[in-house]
Amino acid sequence: MSQALHTPSPAPPVPPAAEGDLAALAARHGLTVSGARPPLVEYVRQLWGRRHFIVAFSQAK
């Protein structure tokens, strides 16, 4: 007696989401563009907060 492998039928294709839907989903979950630059004031604030690491890293061998 032979056994046949059962393969499930493929799922129906999902229509692509509209750009607005994805943007709304991202905004709802607090996501931002990963490569976006912060405003200048925020950048300087982050830089000042990391000053100890920057100095230590620059002096390390």
Side-chain angles (χ1 to χ4, degrees):
M1 180 177 215
S2 66
Q3 293 180 343
L5 295 176
H6 175 65
T7 56
S9 59
V14 178
E19 285 291 322
D21 295 341
L22 294 178
L25 179 66
R28 189 174 14 186
H29 292 282
L31 301 176
T32 60
V33 178
S34 63
R37 293 182 180 173
L40 182 61
V41 173
E42 179 61 26
Y43 176 76
V44 172
R45 185 176 293 121
Q46 291 175 6
L47 193 64
W48 183 253
R50 297 176 179 139
R51 68 189 182 279
H52 301 293
F53 171 77
I54 294 168
V55 170
F57 189 75
S58 67
Q59 295 173 350
K61 288 189 176 186

